[in-house]
């Protein structure tokens, strides 16, 4: 893909080396749905400016004896630059969409970290995967997950990574529009409302996928998409479906424990957003069944 931005709009924060405890991001955090899967799969996940990820790019070049990924600064900086410009593009689109609706979009910060990081949702390690914390309105990205997606989940390409960022910023839109507050209230009133294949957790995540599609629609309109980009997004959405992750390695698929939706659902709702280009099409809470 091609970015429109030539800078990151000041959205990026470099928190590498900031440390953090060995806890995990709290319940309020929204991610791609891989928490706990790292233990089972040794992985968890999930450019106008002509910035692209070089062929063969590997931001986590080597992992030896459980040590931290070894990366060249050039490789990591390339991915960080691409991530910052993609995030800036996404937030520019949401700024316009909010303005059209008569409201104001507040930009999220995109935090680049390694190893562990402190957040308003609690301490987190890179095992948590990319996530959004509504407490501080920040998206947290460990750059090593680009390689994890590609090598362990088969989600390849720069637009697969753009999908990750747009999904997390979809959670930011939910925070700004009050969706997170409404979901938390509903779960307090009925603790079981958030659980299972039809629960509020799944519906919240699928809406973030749909919002990612809304941005992709705008990116297409700006001529940013290359041939194959949509297939890369579909591949990423399918790769992080609850059924796909639970079934990996012969595991049992248990819909009652779903938190993010099936591969089919995740691709479907991304497509809904992409085809309409309208946030209003992303009401995943209205249907009796999703």
């Amino acid at each position: 893909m091609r970015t429109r931005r030539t800078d990151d709009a000041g959205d990026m924060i470099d928190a590498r080396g900031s440390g953090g405890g060995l806890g995990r991001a709290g319940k309020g955090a929204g991610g791609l749905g891989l928490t706990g899967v790292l233990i089972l799969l040794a992985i968890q996940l999930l450019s106008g400016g002509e910035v692209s990820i070089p062929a063969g790019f590997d931001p986590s070049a080597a992992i030896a004896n459980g040590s931290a990924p070894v990366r060249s600064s050039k490789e990591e900086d390339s991915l960080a630059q691409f991530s910052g410009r993609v995030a800036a593009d996404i937030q520019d689109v949401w700024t316009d969409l909010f303005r059209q609706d008569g409201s104001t979009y507040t930009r999220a910060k995109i935090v680049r970290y390694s190893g562990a990081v402190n957040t308003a949702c609690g301490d987190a390690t890179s095992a948590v995967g990319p996530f959004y914390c509504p407490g501080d309105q920040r998206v947290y990205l460990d750059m090593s997950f680009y390689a994890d997606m590609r090598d362990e989940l088969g989600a390849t390409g720069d637009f697969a990574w753009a999908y990750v960022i747009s999904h997390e910023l979809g959670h930011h839109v939910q925070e700004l529009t009050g969706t997170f507050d409404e979901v938390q209230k509903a779960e307090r009133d009925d603790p079981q409302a958030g659980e299972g294949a039809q629960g509020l957790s799944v519906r919240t995540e699928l809406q973030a996928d749909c919002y990612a599609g809304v941005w992709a629609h705008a990116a297409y309109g700006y001529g940013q998409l290359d041939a194959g980009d949509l297939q890369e997004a579909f591949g990423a959405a399918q790769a992080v479906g609850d059924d796909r992750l639970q079934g990996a390695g012969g595991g049992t698929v248990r819909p009652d424990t779903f938190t993010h939706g099936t591969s089919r659902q995740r691709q479907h709702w991304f497509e809904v957003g992409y085809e309409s280009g309208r946030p209003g099409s992303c009401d995943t809470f209205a249907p009796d069944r999703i």
Side-chain angles (χ1 to χ4, degrees):
M1 71 164 292
R2 297 173 294 278
T3 64
R4 290 186 295 145
R5 275 276 184 176
T6 58
D7 62 8
D8 64 16
D11 296 336
M12 291 288 285
I13 295 174
D14 189 348
R16 292 173 298 165
S18 64
L22 295 178
R24 51 170 292 185
K27 186 176 181 181
L32 283 177
L34 296 178
T35 301
V37 176
L38 181 58
I39 299 174
L40 301 175
L41 301 178
I43 182 264
Q44 193 193 88
L45 195 119
L46 100 35
S47 316
E50 292 300 331
V51 176
S52 60
I53 298 174
F57 171 65
D58 185 353
S60 54
I63 298 178
N65 300 321
S67 62
V70 178
R71 314 178 186 89
S72 74
S73 60
K74 182 178 180 180
E75 289 172 333
E76 185 172 325
D77 287 348
S78 177
L79 181 60
Q81 184 182 60
F82 176 79
S83 301
R85 293 185 179 186
V86 168
D89 272 353
I90 295 167
Q91 300 211 84
D92 287 348
V93 167
W94 282 109
T95 296
D96 290 342
L97 289 171
F98 270 57
R99 184 184 299 117
Q100 293 169 20
D101 195 44
S103 54
T104 301
Y105 178 84
T106 302
R107 299 180 82 92
K109 293 296 184 181
I110 315 299
V111 181
R112 170 189 175 197
Y113 77 98
S114 61
V117 67
N118 297 309
T119 84
C121 296
D123 294 339
T125 70
S126 57
V128 174
F131 67 95
Y132 173 75
C133 174
D136 54 26
Q137 297 190 358
R138 293 181 174 184
V139 169
Y140 290 86
L141 296 176
D142 185 310
M143 298 291 116
S144 67
F145 280 100
Y146 176 83
D148 291 338
M149 288 168 57
R150 180 194 63 208
D151 299 339
E152 303 296 337
L153 295 181
T156 60
D158 57 1
F159 206 73
W161 185 246
Y163 157 77
V164 171
I165 298 171
S166 59
H167 172 95
E168 300 307 338
L169 284 169
H171 285 309
H172 182 56
V173 172
Q174 291 172 322
E175 169 66 12
L176 296 180
T177 56
T179 299
F180 271 160
D181 288 341
E182 293 175 8
V183 168
Q184 289 178 351
K185 181 180 183 302
E187 290 179 334
R188 286 195 301 268
D189 294 342
D190 179 4
Q192 294 184 332
E195 301 175 356
Q198 299 297 321
L200 293 177
S201 175
V202 168
R203 292 171 186 268
T204 300
E205 297 298 334
L206 293 179
Q207 186 177 64
D209 284 331
C210 187
Y211 285 159
V214 169
W215 164 71
H217 175 94
Y220 174 81
Y222 286 121
Q224 294 176 256
L225 302 193
D226 293 324
D229 277 348
L230 280 182
Q231 290 306 313
E232 291 174 3
F234 295 160
Q238 292 171 2
V240 293
D242 285 325
D243 55 339
R244 177 79 63 86
L245 294 173
Q246 289 185 359
T252 301
V253 177
R254 295 183 53 195
D256 60 306
T257 65
F258 284 0
T259 58
H260 286 66
T262 65
S263 295
R264 182 195 63 77
Q265 287 173 319
R266 300 200 72 165
Q267 176 177 336
H268 168 73
W269 281 102
F270 178 89
E271 288 184 283
V272 168
Y274 176 76
E275 290 172 0
S276 73
R278 295 182 294 102
S281 70
C282 297
D283 187 358
T284 55
F285 300 93
D288 291 336
R289 300 191 65 81
I290 44 178

